[in-house]
Short mmCIF file of all heavy atoms in Angstrom, two decimals:
data_model
loop_
_atom_site.label_atom_id
_atom_site.label_comp_id
_atom_site.label_asym_id
_atom_site.label_seq_id
_atom_site.Cartn_x
_atom_site.Cartn_y
_atom_site.Cartn_z
N MET A 6 -126.24 13.43 237.22
CA MET A 6 -126.05 14.27 238.39
C MET A 6 -124.59 14.20 238.82
O MET A 6 -124.04 13.13 239.00
CB MET A 6 -126.95 13.75 239.51
CG MET A 6 -126.81 14.46 240.80
SD MET A 6 -128.06 13.78 241.93
CE MET A 6 -127.37 14.31 243.43
N VAL A 7 -123.94 15.34 238.98
CA VAL A 7 -122.55 15.40 239.43
C VAL A 7 -122.54 16.06 240.79
O VAL A 7 -123.10 17.12 240.99
CB VAL A 7 -121.68 16.20 238.44
CG1 VAL A 7 -120.28 16.35 238.97
CG2 VAL A 7 -121.68 15.53 237.09
N MET A 8 -121.88 15.40 241.74
CA MET A 8 -121.77 15.94 243.08
C MET A 8 -120.33 16.36 243.31
O MET A 8 -119.41 15.59 243.04
CB MET A 8 -122.19 14.90 244.12
CG MET A 8 -123.58 14.36 243.89
SD MET A 8 -124.03 13.15 245.11
CE MET A 8 -124.82 14.23 246.27
N GLN A 9 -120.11 17.57 243.80
CA GLN A 9 -118.77 18.07 244.06
C GLN A 9 -118.45 17.87 245.53
O GLN A 9 -119.21 18.26 246.40
CB GLN A 9 -118.70 19.56 243.70
CG GLN A 9 -117.32 20.13 243.73
CD GLN A 9 -116.48 19.66 242.57
OE1 GLN A 9 -116.99 19.32 241.52
NE2 GLN A 9 -115.20 19.62 242.76
N LEU A 10 -117.30 17.26 245.81
CA LEU A 10 -116.87 17.09 247.18
C LEU A 10 -116.16 18.36 247.64
O LEU A 10 -115.34 18.90 246.92
CB LEU A 10 -115.92 15.89 247.31
CG LEU A 10 -116.53 14.55 247.00
CD1 LEU A 10 -115.46 13.47 247.05
CD2 LEU A 10 -117.62 14.22 248.00
N GLU A 11 -116.45 18.80 248.84
CA GLU A 11 -115.82 20.00 249.36
C GLU A 11 -114.32 19.79 249.55
O GLU A 11 -113.88 18.74 249.99
CB GLU A 11 -116.43 20.37 250.71
CG GLU A 11 -117.84 20.87 250.62
CD GLU A 11 -118.38 21.28 251.96
OE1 GLU A 11 -117.98 20.69 252.96
OE2 GLU A 11 -119.18 22.21 251.96
N ASN A 12 -113.56 20.79 249.18
CA ASN A 12 -112.12 20.85 249.41
C ASN A 12 -111.30 19.80 248.67
O ASN A 12 -110.13 19.66 248.95
CB ASN A 12 -111.81 20.75 250.92
CG ASN A 12 -112.48 21.85 251.69
OD1 ASN A 12 -112.59 22.97 251.21
ND2 ASN A 12 -112.95 21.55 252.87
N THR A 13 -111.89 19.04 247.78
CA THR A 13 -111.11 18.04 247.08
C THR A 13 -110.99 18.34 245.60
O THR A 13 -110.08 17.85 244.95
CB THR A 13 -111.73 16.64 247.21
OG1 THR A 13 -112.99 16.64 246.56
CG2 THR A 13 -111.87 16.21 248.65
N GLY A 14 -111.92 19.11 245.04
CA GLY A 14 -111.93 19.35 243.61
C GLY A 14 -112.29 18.10 242.82
O GLY A 14 -112.11 18.04 241.63
N LEU A 15 -112.78 17.09 243.50
CA LEU A 15 -113.09 15.82 242.86
C LEU A 15 -114.58 15.70 242.62
O LEU A 15 -115.37 15.72 243.55
CB LEU A 15 -112.63 14.67 243.76
CG LEU A 15 -112.96 13.27 243.28
CD1 LEU A 15 -112.22 12.97 241.98
CD2 LEU A 15 -112.59 12.25 244.32
N ALA A 16 -114.95 15.58 241.36
CA ALA A 16 -116.36 15.41 241.01
C ALA A 16 -116.65 13.92 240.86
O ALA A 16 -115.93 13.21 240.17
CB ALA A 16 -116.68 16.15 239.73
N VAL A 17 -117.67 13.46 241.53
CA VAL A 17 -118.13 12.08 241.39
C VAL A 17 -119.46 12.13 240.65
O VAL A 17 -120.38 12.82 241.08
CB VAL A 17 -118.31 11.40 242.76
CG1 VAL A 17 -118.90 10.01 242.60
CG2 VAL A 17 -116.97 11.33 243.49
N SER A 18 -119.54 11.43 239.54
CA SER A 18 -120.80 11.41 238.81
C SER A 18 -121.46 10.04 239.00
O SER A 18 -120.78 9.03 239.14
CB SER A 18 -120.59 11.71 237.32
OG SER A 18 -119.72 10.79 236.73
N TRP A 19 -122.76 10.07 239.00
CA TRP A 19 -123.55 8.87 239.25
C TRP A 19 -124.48 8.60 238.07
O TRP A 19 -125.02 9.53 237.49
CB TRP A 19 -124.42 9.06 240.50
CG TRP A 19 -123.64 9.08 241.75
CD1 TRP A 19 -123.15 10.18 242.41
CD2 TRP A 19 -123.23 7.95 242.52
NE1 TRP A 19 -122.48 9.80 243.53
CE2 TRP A 19 -122.51 8.44 243.63
CE3 TRP A 19 -123.40 6.58 242.38
CZ2 TRP A 19 -121.97 7.60 244.59
CZ3 TRP A 19 -122.86 5.74 243.34
CH2 TRP A 19 -122.16 6.26 244.43
N ARG A 20 -124.68 7.33 237.77
CA ARG A 20 -125.72 6.96 236.82
C ARG A 20 -126.40 5.69 237.33
O ARG A 20 -125.76 4.83 237.95
CB ARG A 20 -125.19 6.78 235.40
CG ARG A 20 -124.37 5.56 235.17
CD ARG A 20 -123.92 5.50 233.70
NE ARG A 20 -123.10 4.33 233.49
CZ ARG A 20 -123.55 3.15 233.13
NH1 ARG A 20 -124.84 2.95 232.94
NH2 ARG A 20 -122.73 2.13 232.97
N CYS A 21 -127.69 5.62 237.10
CA CYS A 21 -128.45 4.44 237.49
C CYS A 21 -128.44 3.49 236.29
O CYS A 21 -129.09 3.75 235.28
CB CYS A 21 -129.87 4.85 237.87
SG CYS A 21 -130.85 3.47 238.50
N ALA A 22 -127.68 2.41 236.39
CA ALA A 22 -127.52 1.47 235.28
C ALA A 22 -128.77 0.62 235.08
O ALA A 22 -129.08 0.23 233.95
CB ALA A 22 -126.32 0.57 235.53
N GLN A 23 -129.46 0.33 236.15
CA GLN A 23 -130.71 -0.42 236.14
C GLN A 23 -131.34 -0.23 237.50
O GLN A 23 -130.68 0.25 238.43
CB GLN A 23 -130.46 -1.91 235.86
CG GLN A 23 -129.66 -2.62 236.94
CD GLN A 23 -129.35 -4.05 236.58
OE1 GLN A 23 -129.04 -4.37 235.46
NE2 GLN A 23 -129.44 -4.93 237.57
N PRO A 24 -132.60 -0.55 237.67
CA PRO A 24 -133.22 -0.38 238.97
C PRO A 24 -132.42 -1.09 240.07
O PRO A 24 -132.07 -2.27 239.94
CB PRO A 24 -134.60 -1.01 238.80
CG PRO A 24 -134.89 -0.86 237.34
CD PRO A 24 -133.55 -1.06 236.66
N GLY A 25 -132.05 -0.33 241.09
CA GLY A 25 -131.32 -0.90 242.22
C GLY A 25 -129.81 -0.94 242.06
O GLY A 25 -129.12 -1.48 242.92
N LEU A 26 -129.26 -0.34 240.99
CA LEU A 26 -127.81 -0.36 240.77
C LEU A 26 -127.35 1.01 240.29
O LEU A 26 -127.77 1.47 239.22
CB LEU A 26 -127.44 -1.42 239.74
CG LEU A 26 -125.96 -1.49 239.37
CD1 LEU A 26 -125.11 -1.91 240.58
CD2 LEU A 26 -125.74 -2.45 238.21
N TRP A 27 -126.48 1.65 241.08
CA TRP A 27 -125.93 2.95 240.74
C TRP A 27 -124.42 2.79 240.57
O TRP A 27 -123.76 2.16 241.38
CB TRP A 27 -126.23 3.97 241.84
CG TRP A 27 -127.67 4.27 241.94
CD1 TRP A 27 -128.34 5.30 241.35
CD2 TRP A 27 -128.66 3.52 242.67
NE1 TRP A 27 -129.67 5.24 241.66
CE2 TRP A 27 -129.90 4.15 242.48
CE3 TRP A 27 -128.61 2.38 243.46
CZ2 TRP A 27 -131.08 3.68 243.04
CZ3 TRP A 27 -129.78 1.91 244.02
CH2 TRP A 27 -130.99 2.56 243.81
N ILE A 28 -123.88 3.40 239.52
CA ILE A 28 -122.47 3.31 239.22
C ILE A 28 -121.86 4.71 239.34
O ILE A 28 -122.38 5.68 238.78
CB ILE A 28 -122.24 2.77 237.80
CG1 ILE A 28 -122.84 1.36 237.70
CG2 ILE A 28 -120.75 2.77 237.44
CD1 ILE A 28 -122.81 0.76 236.33
N ALA A 29 -120.73 4.78 240.05
CA ALA A 29 -120.03 6.05 240.25
C ALA A 29 -118.76 6.07 239.42
O ALA A 29 -118.09 5.05 239.26
CB ALA A 29 -119.68 6.23 241.72
N SER A 30 -118.44 7.27 238.91
CA SER A 30 -117.16 7.45 238.24
C SER A 30 -116.57 8.78 238.69
O SER A 30 -117.28 9.70 239.08
CB SER A 30 -117.32 7.42 236.72
OG SER A 30 -118.19 8.42 236.30
N ALA A 31 -115.24 8.84 238.66
CA ALA A 31 -114.52 10.05 239.04
C ALA A 31 -113.37 10.22 238.08
O ALA A 31 -112.59 9.29 237.86
CB ALA A 31 -114.01 9.94 240.47
N ARG A 32 -113.30 11.39 237.47
CA ARG A 32 -112.24 11.69 236.49
C ARG A 32 -112.20 10.66 235.37
O ARG A 32 -111.14 10.24 234.92
CB ARG A 32 -110.90 11.79 237.18
CG ARG A 32 -110.82 12.94 238.15
CD ARG A 32 -109.46 13.07 238.74
NE ARG A 32 -109.45 14.19 239.67
CZ ARG A 32 -108.50 14.39 240.55
NH1 ARG A 32 -107.49 13.57 240.62
NH2 ARG A 32 -108.56 15.42 241.35
N GLY A 33 -113.37 10.20 234.97
CA GLY A 33 -113.46 9.26 233.86
C GLY A 33 -113.12 7.82 234.21
O GLY A 33 -113.10 6.96 233.34
N GLU A 34 -112.87 7.53 235.46
CA GLU A 34 -112.54 6.18 235.91
C GLU A 34 -113.65 5.63 236.80
O GLU A 34 -114.32 6.38 237.50
CB GLU A 34 -111.24 6.18 236.71
CG GLU A 34 -110.03 6.64 235.94
CD GLU A 34 -108.79 6.69 236.80
OE1 GLU A 34 -108.83 6.22 237.95
OE2 GLU A 34 -107.78 7.22 236.33
N ALA A 35 -113.80 4.32 236.79
CA ALA A 35 -114.78 3.68 237.68
C ALA A 35 -114.40 3.98 239.13
O ALA A 35 -113.24 3.93 239.50
CB ALA A 35 -114.79 2.18 237.46
N ALA A 36 -115.40 4.33 239.93
CA ALA A 36 -115.17 4.64 241.34
C ALA A 36 -115.82 3.63 242.27
O ALA A 36 -115.38 3.44 243.39
CB ALA A 36 -115.67 6.04 241.66
N GLY A 37 -116.90 2.97 241.81
CA GLY A 37 -117.57 2.00 242.65
C GLY A 37 -119.04 1.89 242.30
O GLY A 37 -119.51 2.51 241.35
N ILE A 38 -119.74 1.08 243.09
CA ILE A 38 -121.16 0.86 242.85
C ILE A 38 -121.94 0.86 244.16
O ILE A 38 -121.39 0.59 245.23
CB ILE A 38 -121.44 -0.47 242.11
CG1 ILE A 38 -120.97 -1.67 242.93
CG2 ILE A 38 -120.81 -0.46 240.72
CD1 ILE A 38 -121.40 -3.01 242.35
N VAL A 39 -123.21 1.16 244.03
CA VAL A 39 -124.17 1.01 245.12
C VAL A 39 -125.26 0.08 244.62
O VAL A 39 -125.82 0.29 243.55
CB VAL A 39 -124.77 2.36 245.54
CG1 VAL A 39 -125.89 2.17 246.56
CG2 VAL A 39 -123.70 3.29 246.11
N THR A 40 -125.52 -0.97 245.38
CA THR A 40 -126.53 -1.96 245.02
C THR A 40 -127.61 -1.99 246.09
O THR A 40 -127.30 -2.10 247.28
CB THR A 40 -125.89 -3.36 244.91
OG1 THR A 40 -124.76 -3.30 244.04
CG2 THR A 40 -126.88 -4.37 244.40
N GLU A 41 -128.85 -1.90 245.67
CA GLU A 41 -129.94 -1.96 246.64
C GLU A 41 -130.18 -3.41 247.05
O GLU A 41 -130.33 -4.30 246.21
CB GLU A 41 -131.22 -1.38 246.04
CG GLU A 41 -132.34 -1.29 247.05
CD GLU A 41 -133.55 -0.54 246.54
OE1 GLU A 41 -133.61 -0.24 245.34
OE2 GLU A 41 -134.43 -0.26 247.35
N ARG A 42 -130.17 -3.64 248.34
CA ARG A 42 -130.51 -4.94 248.92
C ARG A 42 -131.86 -4.76 249.59
O ARG A 42 -131.97 -4.10 250.61
CB ARG A 42 -129.45 -5.38 249.95
CG ARG A 42 -128.08 -5.54 249.37
CD ARG A 42 -128.04 -6.75 248.48
NE ARG A 42 -126.71 -6.89 247.89
CZ ARG A 42 -126.50 -7.30 246.67
NH1 ARG A 42 -127.51 -7.60 245.88
NH2 ARG A 42 -125.30 -7.40 246.19
N TRP A 43 -132.90 -5.31 248.96
CA TRP A 43 -134.28 -4.98 249.27
C TRP A 43 -134.63 -4.97 250.75
O TRP A 43 -135.36 -4.11 251.20
CB TRP A 43 -135.22 -5.90 248.51
CG TRP A 43 -134.99 -5.78 247.04
CD1 TRP A 43 -134.42 -6.71 246.21
CD2 TRP A 43 -135.26 -4.66 246.22
NE1 TRP A 43 -134.32 -6.23 244.93
CE2 TRP A 43 -134.84 -4.96 244.90
CE3 TRP A 43 -135.81 -3.41 246.44
CZ2 TRP A 43 -134.95 -4.09 243.83
CZ3 TRP A 43 -135.93 -2.53 245.38
CH2 TRP A 43 -135.51 -2.88 244.10
N THR A 44 -134.13 -5.86 251.54
CA THR A 44 -134.50 -5.87 252.95
C THR A 44 -133.39 -5.34 253.86
O THR A 44 -133.61 -5.17 255.05
CB THR A 44 -134.85 -7.30 253.41
OG1 THR A 44 -133.70 -8.13 253.21
CG2 THR A 44 -136.02 -7.84 252.63
N GLU A 45 -132.22 -5.03 253.29
CA GLU A 45 -131.07 -4.65 254.10
C GLU A 45 -130.64 -3.21 253.94
O GLU A 45 -129.97 -2.67 254.81
CB GLU A 45 -129.89 -5.57 253.77
CG GLU A 45 -130.18 -7.03 254.03
CD GLU A 45 -129.12 -7.94 253.43
OE1 GLU A 45 -127.97 -7.49 253.27
OE2 GLU A 45 -129.46 -9.08 253.11
N GLY A 46 -130.92 -2.59 252.82
CA GLY A 46 -130.46 -1.23 252.56
C GLY A 46 -129.66 -1.17 251.28
O GLY A 46 -129.96 -1.88 250.31
N PHE A 47 -128.62 -0.35 251.29
CA PHE A 47 -127.82 -0.09 250.09
C PHE A 47 -126.37 -0.48 250.36
O PHE A 47 -125.71 0.12 251.21
CB PHE A 47 -127.93 1.37 249.68
CG PHE A 47 -129.34 1.76 249.32
CD1 PHE A 47 -130.23 2.17 250.29
CD2 PHE A 47 -129.77 1.66 248.01
CE1 PHE A 47 -131.54 2.51 249.96
CE2 PHE A 47 -131.07 2.01 247.66
CZ PHE A 47 -131.95 2.42 248.64
N GLU A 48 -125.89 -1.45 249.63
CA GLU A 48 -124.54 -1.99 249.80
C GLU A 48 -123.57 -1.21 248.89
O GLU A 48 -123.85 -1.01 247.71
CB GLU A 48 -124.54 -3.46 249.43
CG GLU A 48 -123.22 -4.15 249.61
CD GLU A 48 -123.33 -5.62 249.26
OE1 GLU A 48 -123.54 -5.91 248.06
OE2 GLU A 48 -123.26 -6.44 250.17
N VAL A 49 -122.43 -0.82 249.44
CA VAL A 49 -121.44 -0.03 248.72
C VAL A 49 -120.17 -0.84 248.51
O VAL A 49 -119.64 -1.44 249.44
CB VAL A 49 -121.10 1.26 249.50
CG1 VAL A 49 -120.11 2.10 248.74
CG2 VAL A 49 -122.36 2.04 249.82
N THR A 50 -119.68 -0.81 247.27
CA THR A 50 -118.43 -1.48 246.92
C THR A 50 -117.59 -0.50 246.11
O THR A 50 -118.08 0.11 245.15
CB THR A 50 -118.69 -2.73 246.06
OG1 THR A 50 -119.63 -3.56 246.75
CG2 THR A 50 -117.42 -3.51 245.82
N CYS A 51 -116.32 -0.33 246.49
CA CYS A 51 -115.46 0.59 245.74
C CYS A 51 -114.93 -0.11 244.48
O CYS A 51 -115.13 -1.31 244.29
CB CYS A 51 -114.32 1.11 246.61
SG CYS A 51 -113.10 -0.11 247.04
N ALA A 52 -114.25 0.63 243.65
CA ALA A 52 -113.78 0.10 242.35
C ALA A 52 -112.82 -1.07 242.49
O ALA A 52 -112.72 -1.90 241.61
CB ALA A 52 -113.14 1.22 241.54
N THR A 53 -112.12 -1.15 243.61
CA THR A 53 -111.17 -2.25 243.82
C THR A 53 -111.85 -3.50 244.39
O THR A 53 -111.20 -4.50 244.62
CB THR A 53 -110.03 -1.83 244.76
OG1 THR A 53 -110.59 -1.46 246.03
CG2 THR A 53 -109.23 -0.68 244.17
N GLY A 54 -113.15 -3.40 244.64
CA GLY A 54 -113.90 -4.54 245.16
C GLY A 54 -114.04 -4.56 246.67
O GLY A 54 -114.67 -5.45 247.23
N ARG A 55 -113.46 -3.57 247.34
CA ARG A 55 -113.55 -3.50 248.80
C ARG A 55 -114.96 -3.10 249.22
O ARG A 55 -115.52 -2.12 248.75
CB ARG A 55 -112.53 -2.46 249.32
CG ARG A 55 -112.48 -2.38 250.84
CD ARG A 55 -111.48 -1.35 251.28
NE ARG A 55 -112.05 -0.04 250.95
CZ ARG A 55 -111.34 1.04 250.75
NH1 ARG A 55 -110.04 1.02 250.79
NH2 ARG A 55 -111.93 2.20 250.48
N ALA A 56 -115.56 -3.87 250.11
CA ALA A 56 -116.89 -3.57 250.63
C ALA A 56 -116.78 -2.44 251.64
O ALA A 56 -115.95 -2.49 252.55
CB ALA A 56 -117.50 -4.80 251.28
N LEU A 57 -117.62 -1.42 251.47
CA LEU A 57 -117.61 -0.28 252.37
C LEU A 57 -118.76 -0.30 253.37
O LEU A 57 -118.83 0.55 254.24
CB LEU A 57 -117.65 1.03 251.57
CG LEU A 57 -116.49 1.25 250.61
CD1 LEU A 57 -116.68 2.55 249.86
CD2 LEU A 57 -115.16 1.25 251.35
N GLY A 58 -119.65 -1.27 253.24
CA GLY A 58 -120.74 -1.40 254.19
C GLY A 58 -122.10 -1.31 253.54
O GLY A 58 -122.23 -1.11 252.33
N THR A 59 -123.12 -1.45 254.36
CA THR A 59 -124.51 -1.35 253.94
C THR A 59 -125.14 -0.21 254.73
O THR A 59 -124.95 -0.11 255.94
CB THR A 59 -125.25 -2.67 254.19
OG1 THR A 59 -124.58 -3.70 253.47
CG2 THR A 59 -126.69 -2.60 253.72
N PHE A 60 -125.88 0.64 254.03
CA PHE A 60 -126.44 1.84 254.62
C PHE A 60 -127.95 1.84 254.42
O PHE A 60 -128.45 1.33 253.43
CB PHE A 60 -125.82 3.08 253.96
CG PHE A 60 -124.32 3.13 254.16
CD1 PHE A 60 -123.48 2.44 253.30
CD2 PHE A 60 -123.78 3.82 255.23
CE1 PHE A 60 -122.10 2.46 253.49
CE2 PHE A 60 -122.41 3.83 255.42
CZ PHE A 60 -121.57 3.15 254.56
N PRO A 61 -128.70 2.43 255.37
CA PRO A 61 -130.15 2.38 255.28
C PRO A 61 -130.74 3.24 254.17
O PRO A 61 -131.82 2.95 253.67
CB PRO A 61 -130.62 2.88 256.65
CG PRO A 61 -129.47 3.62 257.21
CD PRO A 61 -128.24 3.03 256.62
N ARG A 62 -130.01 4.30 253.75
CA ARG A 62 -130.54 5.20 252.72
C ARG A 62 -129.55 5.35 251.57
O ARG A 62 -128.33 5.28 251.76
CB ARG A 62 -130.82 6.57 253.33
CG ARG A 62 -131.89 6.53 254.39
CD ARG A 62 -132.27 7.89 254.93
NE ARG A 62 -131.51 9.01 254.40
CZ ARG A 62 -131.07 10.02 255.14
NH1 ARG A 62 -131.30 10.06 256.43
NH2 ARG A 62 -130.40 11.01 254.59
N LEU A 63 -130.07 5.59 250.38
CA LEU A 63 -129.24 5.74 249.18
C LEU A 63 -128.28 6.91 249.32
O LEU A 63 -127.09 6.78 248.97
CB LEU A 63 -130.13 5.92 247.95
CG LEU A 63 -129.41 6.15 246.62
CD1 LEU A 63 -128.49 4.99 246.29
CD2 LEU A 63 -130.44 6.37 245.51
N ASP A 64 -128.73 8.04 249.82
CA ASP A 64 -127.83 9.19 249.93
C ASP A 64 -126.67 8.92 250.88
O ASP A 64 -125.55 9.37 250.64
CB ASP A 64 -128.60 10.46 250.32
CG ASP A 64 -129.27 10.38 251.68
OD1 ASP A 64 -129.62 9.26 252.13
OD2 ASP A 64 -129.48 11.45 252.30
N GLU A 65 -126.89 8.14 251.93
CA GLU A 65 -125.82 7.78 252.85
C GLU A 65 -124.81 6.85 252.16
O GLU A 65 -123.60 6.97 252.37
CB GLU A 65 -126.38 7.10 254.10
CG GLU A 65 -127.20 8.02 254.97
CD GLU A 65 -127.92 7.27 256.08
OE1 GLU A 65 -128.08 6.04 255.98
OE2 GLU A 65 -128.32 7.93 257.05
N ALA A 66 -125.31 5.93 251.36
CA ALA A 66 -124.44 5.00 250.64
C ALA A 66 -123.57 5.75 249.64
O ALA A 66 -122.36 5.52 249.55
CB ALA A 66 -125.28 3.94 249.95
N LYS A 67 -124.18 6.67 248.89
CA LYS A 67 -123.41 7.44 247.91
C LYS A 67 -122.35 8.30 248.62
O LYS A 67 -121.22 8.40 248.15
CB LYS A 67 -124.34 8.33 247.09
CG LYS A 67 -125.15 7.56 246.06
CD LYS A 67 -126.03 8.53 245.27
CE LYS A 67 -126.73 7.85 244.12
NZ LYS A 67 -127.54 8.82 243.34
N ALA A 68 -122.72 8.91 249.72
CA ALA A 68 -121.78 9.75 250.47
C ALA A 68 -120.59 8.92 250.97
O ALA A 68 -119.45 9.39 250.96
CB ALA A 68 -122.48 10.44 251.63
N ALA A 69 -120.84 7.70 251.41
CA ALA A 69 -119.76 6.83 251.88
C ALA A 69 -118.77 6.53 250.76
O ALA A 69 -117.55 6.56 250.96
CB ALA A 69 -120.33 5.53 252.45
N LEU A 70 -119.28 6.25 249.58
CA LEU A 70 -118.40 5.98 248.45
C LEU A 70 -117.62 7.24 248.04
O LEU A 70 -116.43 7.18 247.76
CB LEU A 70 -119.18 5.43 247.26
CG LEU A 70 -118.34 5.05 246.05
CD1 LEU A 70 -117.26 4.03 246.41
CD2 LEU A 70 -119.21 4.51 244.95
N GLU A 71 -118.28 8.37 248.05
CA GLU A 71 -117.61 9.62 247.71
C GLU A 71 -116.49 9.93 248.70
O GLU A 71 -115.41 10.38 248.30
CB GLU A 71 -118.63 10.76 247.64
CG GLU A 71 -119.55 10.60 246.44
CD GLU A 71 -120.78 11.47 246.50
OE1 GLU A 71 -120.94 12.24 247.48
OE2 GLU A 71 -121.60 11.39 245.57
N ARG A 72 -116.71 9.67 249.99
CA ARG A 72 -115.65 9.86 250.99
C ARG A 72 -114.49 8.92 250.72
O ARG A 72 -113.32 9.32 250.82
CB ARG A 72 -116.19 9.64 252.40
CG ARG A 72 -117.02 10.80 252.94
CD ARG A 72 -117.33 10.64 254.42
NE ARG A 72 -118.02 9.40 254.75
CZ ARG A 72 -119.34 9.23 254.69
NH1 ARG A 72 -120.12 10.22 254.32
NH2 ARG A 72 -119.88 8.07 255.02
N ALA A 73 -114.78 7.68 250.37
CA ALA A 73 -113.72 6.70 250.09
C ALA A 73 -112.90 7.12 248.87
O ALA A 73 -111.67 7.00 248.87
CB ALA A 73 -114.32 5.32 249.88
N VAL A 74 -113.56 7.63 247.85
CA VAL A 74 -112.86 8.10 246.65
C VAL A 74 -111.94 9.26 247.02
O VAL A 74 -110.78 9.30 246.62
CB VAL A 74 -113.87 8.52 245.55
CG1 VAL A 74 -113.17 9.28 244.43
CG2 VAL A 74 -114.59 7.29 245.01
N ALA A 75 -112.44 10.20 247.80
CA ALA A 75 -111.64 11.35 248.21
C ALA A 75 -110.43 10.91 249.03
O ALA A 75 -109.31 11.41 248.84
CB ALA A 75 -112.50 12.34 249.00
N MET A 76 -110.63 9.95 249.93
CA MET A 76 -109.52 9.45 250.75
C MET A 76 -108.48 8.74 249.90
O MET A 76 -107.27 8.91 250.09
CB MET A 76 -110.05 8.50 251.84
CG MET A 76 -110.89 9.19 252.89
SD MET A 76 -109.98 10.40 253.84
CE MET A 76 -108.82 9.36 254.69
N ASP A 77 -108.92 7.93 248.94
CA ASP A 77 -107.99 7.24 248.04
C ASP A 77 -107.17 8.24 247.24
O ASP A 77 -105.96 8.06 247.07
CB ASP A 77 -108.73 6.29 247.11
CG ASP A 77 -109.26 5.06 247.83
OD1 ASP A 77 -108.84 4.79 248.98
OD2 ASP A 77 -110.10 4.34 247.23
N ARG A 78 -107.81 9.29 246.74
CA ARG A 78 -107.09 10.32 245.98
C ARG A 78 -106.09 11.04 246.87
O ARG A 78 -104.98 11.35 246.45
CB ARG A 78 -108.06 11.33 245.37
CG ARG A 78 -108.96 10.73 244.33
CD ARG A 78 -108.22 10.46 243.06
NE ARG A 78 -109.18 9.95 242.09
CZ ARG A 78 -108.86 9.47 240.92
NH1 ARG A 78 -107.62 9.43 240.56
NH2 ARG A 78 -109.77 9.02 240.11
N ALA A 79 -106.47 11.34 248.10
CA ALA A 79 -105.57 12.03 249.03
C ALA A 79 -104.36 11.15 249.34
O ALA A 79 -103.22 11.64 249.37
CB ALA A 79 -106.31 12.39 250.31
N ARG A 80 -104.59 9.86 249.56
CA ARG A 80 -103.47 8.94 249.82
C ARG A 80 -102.53 8.87 248.63
O ARG A 80 -101.32 8.86 248.78
CB ARG A 80 -104.00 7.55 250.15
CG ARG A 80 -104.50 7.42 251.55
CD ARG A 80 -104.82 5.95 251.88
NE ARG A 80 -105.82 5.92 252.92
CZ ARG A 80 -107.09 5.59 252.75
NH1 ARG A 80 -107.54 5.19 251.58
NH2 ARG A 80 -107.93 5.61 253.74
N ALA A 81 -103.10 8.81 247.43
CA ALA A 81 -102.29 8.73 246.21
C ALA A 81 -101.45 10.00 246.04
O ALA A 81 -100.30 9.94 245.59
CB ALA A 81 -103.17 8.50 245.00
N ALA A 82 -102.01 11.15 246.39
CA ALA A 82 -101.29 12.41 246.26
C ALA A 82 -100.13 12.52 247.24
O ALA A 82 -99.16 13.24 246.98
CB ALA A 82 -102.26 13.57 246.44
N MET A 83 -100.21 11.81 248.35
CA MET A 83 -99.17 11.87 249.38
C MET A 83 -97.98 10.98 249.05
O MET A 83 -96.94 11.10 249.67
CB MET A 83 -99.76 11.51 250.74
CG MET A 83 -100.79 12.52 251.20
SD MET A 83 -101.71 11.99 252.65
CE MET A 83 -100.47 12.15 253.91
N ARG A 84 -98.13 10.10 248.09
CA ARG A 84 -97.04 9.17 247.77
C ARG A 84 -95.95 9.82 246.98
O ARG A 84 -95.96 10.69 246.31
CB ARG A 84 -97.57 7.99 246.97
CG ARG A 84 -98.48 7.15 247.79
CD ARG A 84 -98.97 5.97 247.00
NE ARG A 84 -100.12 5.41 247.71
CZ ARG A 84 -101.01 4.65 247.17
NH1 ARG A 84 -100.94 4.30 245.91
NH2 ARG A 84 -102.01 4.18 247.85
#
């Protein structure tokens, strides 16, 4: 499944590596992971290891990582 972010032209693709673990990539590079924490929700970590938080639903966790990827790309473009 590939999700397109509005106004960024950045496609983030997701794959479920094993039950409870989703891996994101963007432009062929690692973008981060979402890990299910059975009693807490879905924990998000970006490719650099920065924790982005824990979210109650998988779609919210994925959206948080996609926003972080878009922000990182925008910052890189401004340099």
